[in-house]
C-alpha cells in the first residue's frame, strides 16, 4: 500500500481572465481556468495551444555548433567516409539512433550503429566503442543521448583519427569535450530557444538542419516523428513548447502510419491501432523497448526500430517481448527482496534515504526497483548491485528534492555518476560503500524538508459529475499530448459513493472497478478505475461516502469509446481537504 498522499488544491486563476477567455473561446470556466494556468489567456493563444503547427518548430541552426555539425556530416557523406551512429541503450538512445541512422542511410550505405552493452561497458561513450570504430575504419562518430561528459573518450577518438559530433541533452560539466561539434541546448553558450529536448529530439534537430541546408523536403522527415514521440514520452521531458508540437505530430504518425517496428510493439502490447496515447507509450511500448537493453542488448531495439518489413519487425518484437516478460519477473522478485530488506532494517541507510545493496541483483532492473521503493516509502532511494567488480546502481528522488546534488557531494567516493535532479546512476568501489551511505544520509538530512517526504497530489479544480459532459471531455482531450509541464488535469469530487456494482479486478484483485455517483447529483453515474486500491473495497461496498481525485480519460475497448475516471487517490469522507 502506497504512502498516504496530501491533496493540494491549486489556487484559481484571475477570475477576470478566466471569464474573458471562457466567453471568447466558448468553453466551460473550469477549462478556461486550466488554460490560464498554462499561460493561455487570449483567443489567439488558445488557437495556437489547441492547434499545434510544425511551422512553430525552431530553426535548428539556432543551436550552437549546428552549422559545423551539418557541414561535417555532409563532408563524410560526400567523401564516402564510414559513419558510426552511437547511442545509449535506453528508449531515448535507441530511438535516437534509429532515427538518425535511418535518415543518413538515405544518402550513404557507409553508416552503421553502435549501442554499448549495459553490463560490459555501462552508460555513455566507451573506449570499447571507440576501438570498434577505429578497427572498422569509421571516421565520424555521432553520439546520441550521451557524450556531453566524455572528455577523455573524445580525446581518445581524436588520437585515433576519428571526429565526433555530440548530440546530447544532459547538463554539461564546466568544460566540454573537444568534439568537432557539441549539440546540447543546455550548453551555457547555446541560445537555442527550447532547452528541454530529449536526446532523440537533438538528433532530430540535426537531421532537420541537414535537410534544410541540402534541399531535402521537410515532409520526408515526418515519418520519423513516431520514433521521436516515443522518446519524448518515455524520457519524461516537459510536454511544452517544441516538445508538445513534435509529440502531437508524432502521435499522429504513430496512430496513422507507424514504422514496422513500432507497429509490432503496438500489436504485441495488445493496443488498439489508431488509438495510441502517451500513457500507452509510457506504460506499454517504452518499457518493452527498454527491456532489450536491460535483459539482452540495446542493439535489438535499434534493429526493431529500423526494420522495414513486417516479418523482420515482428520476429525481433517477439524477442523483445520475451525480454520484457523476463524483466517483469526479475523486477517483481528483486522488488520483493528489497522491500523485505527495508522492513527488516537490513539496508545501508533508511533514515533520510533508502539505500539497499545486493551484489546478486540484475543491474538492468535496479532503476525500476528504486522507483518501486520510492512509491512504497517516499524517500530518496538508491538501489545497488555489483557488476564488473564495482558496486553500481540507480537512484530515484521525491518531488522537490535534488538527488543529483546529494550524489555530487559524494563525488570523491565515486568512479562515475550522471543523471538528473530526480534520477541518476552511479558506480563506486565496494570499500567506499559504507562511507557513501553515511554521507548521503547526512547530506540529505541537512537538506530535505519534512513536507517533501509526503507524496503530493496537485488538484487542479473541484468538479461536479454533471460537468463532465461529452463537450467538456472533447475539449479536454485537445489539451493532449499530456506530460510534465502539461499534465492531465486532476480533479476532485467530494461525497461520492459506488452504485453497488463495484468489484475487484486484475491479477490478485488489486484494482477496483467502480461506477460512481455524487451524493448531490444522483443521476450522473460515471465509471471509474482505481489501480492498486483494493484496500478500500470493504469500506466502499458498505455504501460509505468518500472523496476522489482523478484524471478523466478515454476508455477504448473493442471499438467502443467511453469516458472513465482514472482515480489517483481516494479518502474516507471524514478526511476532507
Amino acid at each position: 500500500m502506497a504512502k498516504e498522499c496530501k491533496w493540494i488544491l491549486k489556487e484559481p486563476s484571475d477570475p477576470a481572465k478566466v471569464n474573458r477567455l471562457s466567453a471568447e473561446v466558448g468553453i466551460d470556466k473550469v477549462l478556461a481556468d486550466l488554460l490560464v494556468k498554462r499561460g493561455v489567456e487570449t483567443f489567439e493563444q488558445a488557437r495556437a495551444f489547441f492547434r499545434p503547427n510544425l511551422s512553430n518548430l525552431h530553426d535548428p541552426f539556432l543551436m550552437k555548433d549546428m552549422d559545423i555539425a551539418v557541414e561535417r556530416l555532409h563532408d563524410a557523406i560526400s567523401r564516402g567516409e564510414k559513419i558510426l551512429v552511437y547511442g545509449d541503450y535506453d528508449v531515448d538512445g535507441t530511438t535516437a539512433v534509429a532515427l538518425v541512422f535511418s535518415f543518413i542511410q538515405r544518402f550513404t550505405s557507409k553508416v552503421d550503429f553502435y549501442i554499448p552493452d549495459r553490463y560490459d561497458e555501462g552508460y555513455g561513450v566507451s573506449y570499447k566503442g571507440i576501438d570498434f570504430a577505429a578497427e572498422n575504419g569509421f571516421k565520424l562518430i555521432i553520439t546520441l543521448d550521451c557524450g556531453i561528459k566524455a572528455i577523455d573518450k573524445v580525446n581518445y577518438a581524436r588520437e585515433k583519427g576519428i571526429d565526433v559530433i555530440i548530440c546530447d541533452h544532459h547538463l554539461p560539466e564546466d568544460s566540454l569535450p573537444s568534439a568537432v561539434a557539441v549539440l546540447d541546448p543546455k550548453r551555457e553558450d547555446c541560445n537555442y530557444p527550447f532547452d528541454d529536448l530529449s536526446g532523440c529530439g537533438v538528433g532530430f534537430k540535426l537531421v532537420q538542419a541537414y535537410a534544410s541546408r541540402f534541399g531535402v523536403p521537410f515532409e520526408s522527415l515526418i515519418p520519423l516523428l513516431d520514433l521521436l514521440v516515443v522518446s519524448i514520452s518515455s524520457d519524461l521531458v516537459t510536454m511544452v513548447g517544441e516538445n508538445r508540437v513534435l509529440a502531437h505530430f508524432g502521435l499522429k504518425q504513430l496512430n496513422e502510419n507507424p514504422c514496422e517496428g513500432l507497429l509490432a510493439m503496438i500489436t504485441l502490447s495488445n493496443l488498439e491501432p489508431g488509438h495510441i496515447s502517451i500513457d500507452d507509450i509510457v506504460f506499454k511500448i517504452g518499457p518493452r523497448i527498454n527491456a532489450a537493453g536491460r535483459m539482452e542488448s540495446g542493439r535489438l531495439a535499434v534493429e526493431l526500430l529500423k526494420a522495414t518489413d513486417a516479418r523482420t519487425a515482428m520476429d525481433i518484437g517477439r524477442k523483445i517481448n520475451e525480454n520484457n516478460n523476463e524483466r517483469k519477473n526479475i523486477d517483481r522478485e528483486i522488488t520483493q527482496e528489497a522491500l523485505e530488506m527495508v522492513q527488516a532494517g537490513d539496508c545501508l541507510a533508511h533514515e533520510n534515504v533508502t539505500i539497499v545493496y545486493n551484489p546478486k541483483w540484475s543491474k538492468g532492473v535496479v532503476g525500476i526497483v528504486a522507483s518501486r521503493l520510492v512509491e512504497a516509502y517516499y524517500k530518496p532511494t538508491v538501489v545497488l548491485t555489483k557488476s564488473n567488480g564495482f558496486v553500481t546502481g540507480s537512484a530515484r528522488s521525491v518531488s522537490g528534492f535534488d538527488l543529483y546534488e546529494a550524489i555530487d557531494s559524494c563525488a570523491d567516493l565515486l568512479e562515475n555518476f550522471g543523471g538528473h535532479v530526480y534520477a541518476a546512476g552511479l558506480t563506486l568501489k565496494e570499500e567506499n560503500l559504507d562511507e557513501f551511505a553515511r554521507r548521503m544520509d547526512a547530506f540529505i538530512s541537512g537538506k530535505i524538508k519534512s513536507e517533501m517526504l509526503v507524496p503530493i497530489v496537485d488538484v487542479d479544480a473541484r468538479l461536479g459529475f454533471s460537468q463532465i459532459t461529452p463537450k467538456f471531455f472533447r475539449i479536454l482531450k485537445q489539451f493532449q499530448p499530456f506530460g510534465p509541464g502539461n499534465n492531465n488535469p486532476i480533479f476532485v469530487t467530494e461525497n461520492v459513493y459506488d452504485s453497488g456494482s463495484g468489484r475487484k479486478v486484475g491479477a490478485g484483485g488489486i484494482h477496483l472497478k467502480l461506477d460512481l455517483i455524487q451524493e448531490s447529483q444522483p443521476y450522473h453515474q460515471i465509471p471509474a478505475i482505481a489501480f492498486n486500491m483494493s484496500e478500500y473495497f470493504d469500506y466502499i461496498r458498505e455504501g460509505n461516502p468518500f472523496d476522489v481525485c482523478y484524471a478523466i480519460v478515454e476508455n477504448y475497448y473493442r471499438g467502443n469509446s467511453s469516458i472513465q475516471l482514472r482515480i489517483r487517490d481516494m479518502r474516507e469522507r471524514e478526511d476532507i481537504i
Side-chain angles (χ1 to χ4, degrees):
M1 181 174 163
K3 193 167 181 178
E4 186 172 320
C5 299
K6 181 179 181 181
W7 301 3
I8 297 181
L9 186 63
K10 293 178 184 175
E11 289 292 322
S13 305
D14 180 342
K17 291 179 179 178
V18 170
N19 291 337
R20 185 170 61 246
L21 188 64
S22 173
E24 284 182 7
V25 183
I27 58 173
D28 187 291
K29 288 180 182 177
V30 171
L31 295 169
D33 175 63
L34 294 175
L35 286 175
V36 173
K37 285 188 170 90
R38 285 159 171 75
V40 176
E41 298 182 5
T42 68
F43 179 85
E44 288 302 319
Q45 289 173 334
R47 183 162 62 182
F49 180 82
F50 286 131
R51 301 286 182 270
N53 197 307
L54 287 167
S55 65
N56 293 330
L57 296 181
H58 301 302
D59 178 356
F61 288 101
L62 294 174
M63 195 176 294
K64 181 78 172 175
D65 281 3
M66 184 62 82
D67 51 344
I68 302 169
V70 165
E71 290 302 327
R72 181 63 187 91
L73 175 56
H74 186 63
D75 285 347
I77 292 170
S78 302
R79 295 176 192 155
E81 291 178 349
K82 292 182 75 175
I83 304 165
L84 188 65
V85 184
Y86 187 116
D88 188 27
Y89 38 68
D90 69 0
V91 179
D92 193 13
T94 52
T95 53
V97 168
L99 187 154
V100 173
F101 176 90
S102 298
F103 178 79
I104 294 174
Q105 200 176 35
R106 299 179 188 180
F107 309 103
T108 177
S109 61
K110 295 189 175 181
V111 59
D112 202 352
F113 70 91
Y114 190 95
I115 303 291
D117 183 271
R118 178 190 287 267
Y119 301 96
D120 181 37
E121 296 164 82
Y123 168 78
V125 182
S126 69
Y127 289 112
K128 184 176 178 179
I130 295 166
D131 286 340
F132 170 85
E135 289 160 9
N136 290 278
F138 290 93
K139 293 297 179 186
L140 177 64
I141 295 175
I142 301 173
T143 77
L144 293 152
D145 191 34
C146 60
I148 198 65
K149 296 182 179 180
I151 293 171
D152 294 340
K153 314 285 176 50
V154 170
N155 289 338
Y156 183 69
R158 288 182 67 187
E159 289 168 10
K160 292 185 172 290
I162 301 170
D163 285 341
V164 179
I165 294 172
I166 292 171
C167 301
D168 205 348
H169 69 131
H170 296 98
L171 277 170
E173 302 284 8
D174 293 335
S175 56
L176 298 173
S178 56
V180 170
V182 178
L183 306 180
D184 188 332
K186 291 189 175 72
R187 282 179 65 165
E188 280 195 13
D189 59 348
C190 180
N191 295 318
Y192 191 72
F194 186 75
D195 71 353
D196 201 31
L197 293 166
S198 65
C200 187
V202 178
F204 179 78
K205 299 309 290 190
L206 173 62
V207 305
Q208 182 192 357
Y210 189 94
S212 171
R213 177 66 54 87
F214 296 105
V216 179
F218 180 83
E219 290 70 26
S220 72
L221 306 183
I222 291 175
L224 300 172
L225 294 179
D226 56 357
L227 294 170
L228 184 48
V229 72
V230 171
S231 151
I232 290 169
S233 307
S234 301
D235 216 52
L236 298 178
V237 289
T238 51
M239 196 67 78
V240 299
E242 195 164 37
N243 280 341
R244 188 166 180 271
V245 175
L246 292 166
H248 173 88
F249 287 96
L251 267 182
K252 190 172 187 291
Q253 182 69 26
L254 187 64
N255 278 296
E256 294 177 1
N257 191 22
C259 66
E260 294 293 350
L262 289 175
L263 181 58
M265 286 292 92
I266 289 167
T267 304
L268 291 162
S269 302
N270 296 316
L271 295 171
E272 188 83 32
H275 295 272
I276 310 301
S277 68
I278 295 293
D279 276 357
D280 292 329
I281 297 172
V282 172
F283 296 111
K284 299 286 183 69
I285 297 172
R288 282 172 167 77
I289 295 171
N290 250 338
R294 293 184 190 280
M295 308 310 300
E296 191 170 337
S297 169
R299 282 192 65 84
L300 205 56
V302 179
E303 293 288 0
L304 170 81
L305 297 172
K306 73 179 189 65
T308 54
D309 69 280
R311 186 170 182 175
T312 301
M314 189 55 79
D315 286 346
I316 300 170
R318 287 194 185 97
K319 286 183 191 173
I320 289 176
N321 211 39
E322 288 169 11
N323 289 154
N324 189 53
N325 290 333
E326 183 186 355
R327 187 272 306 166
K328 286 194 286 190
N329 290 334
I330 293 171
D331 161 20
R332 275 193 291 267
E333 289 172 13
I334 295 177
T335 297
Q336 188 57 42
E337 289 176 18
L339 287 167
E340 288 170 1
M341 286 173 74
V342 177
Q343 288 160 6
D346 188 19
C347 41
L348 295 167
H350 59 82
E351 288 298 321
N352 305 291
V353 57
T354 304
I355 303 180
V356 290
Y357 170 55
N358 185 327
K360 295 179 181 177
W361 285 340
S362 168
K363 181 182 174 184
V365 301
V366 290
I368 300 169
V369 174
S371 296
R372 301 267 193 270
L373 292 185
V374 171
E375 288 173 12
Y377 298 106
Y378 212 71
K379 291 178 185 176
T381 299
V382 185
V383 178
L384 299 164
T385 185
K386 200 165 189 178
S387 178
N388 292 333
F390 290 96
V391 173
T392 186
S394 291
R396 298 292 184 268
S397 194
V398 296
S399 182
F401 184 74
D402 187 343
L403 186 59
Y404 186 84
E405 182 189 19
I407 293 169
D408 188 35
S409 73
C410 301
D412 58 305
L413 299 173
L414 305 175
E415 298 303 299
N416 55 63
F417 66 98
H420 307 284
V421 171
Y422 295 124
L426 60 149
T427 302
L428 68 160
K429 293 176 179 172
E430 195 160 20
E431 57 261 34
N432 291 334
L433 196 50
D434 289 339
E435 179 64 8
F436 169 75
R438 187 193 68 76
R439 277 172 47 183
M440 281 286 286
D441 196 60
F443 182 92
I444 292 172
S445 173
K447 293 274 186 178
I448 202 159
K449 297 173 182 173
S450 58
E451 57 265 29
M452 293 179 186
L453 298 174
V454 179
I456 300 293
V457 178
D458 286 314
V459 178
D460 291 273
R462 283 187 166 89
L463 202 62
F465 284 170
S466 64
Q467 292 174 271
I468 306 173
T469 63
K471 180 185 177 184
F472 181 95
F473 184 57
R474 188 172 66 250
I475 296 167
L476 184 65
K477 279 200 297 183
Q478 294 177 49
F479 281 65
Q480 298 178 21
F482 294 125
N486 183 42
N487 286 313
N488 196 347
I490 300 296
F491 302 103
V492 65
T493 303
E494 297 163 335
N495 207 14
V496 307
Y497 56 92
D498 181 62
S499 67
S501 61
R503 62 191 188 278
K504 294 181 182 181
V505 295
I510 60 172
H511 313 310
L512 294 180
K513 200 165 190 322
L514 308 169
D515 287 300
L516 297 182
I517 298 170
Q518 190 174 3
E519 178 76 24
S520 61
Q521 301 171 11
Y523 302 110
H524 294 276
Q525 182 172 307
I526 191 160
I529 184 78
F531 293 113
N532 301 304
M533 295 188 198
S534 59
E535 70 268 20
Y536 290 102
F537 181 66
D538 290 338
Y539 177 87
I540 291 170
R541 185 173 55 176
E542 290 167 2
N544 294 310
F546 53 99
D547 301 337
V548 287
C549 61
Y550 54 86
I552 307 173
V553 299
E554 185 171 29
N555 184 36
Y556 194 87
Y557 184 67
R558 292 182 178 174
N560 295 313
S561 174
S562 61
I563 295 174
Q564 184 182 62
L565 307 186
R566 183 177 294 157
I567 295 176
R568 279 286 305 275
D569 197 22
M570 62 173 72
R571 54 180 53 166
E572 297 173 7
R573 184 67 189 122
E574 59 266 27
D575 300 325
I576 60 173
I577 294 178

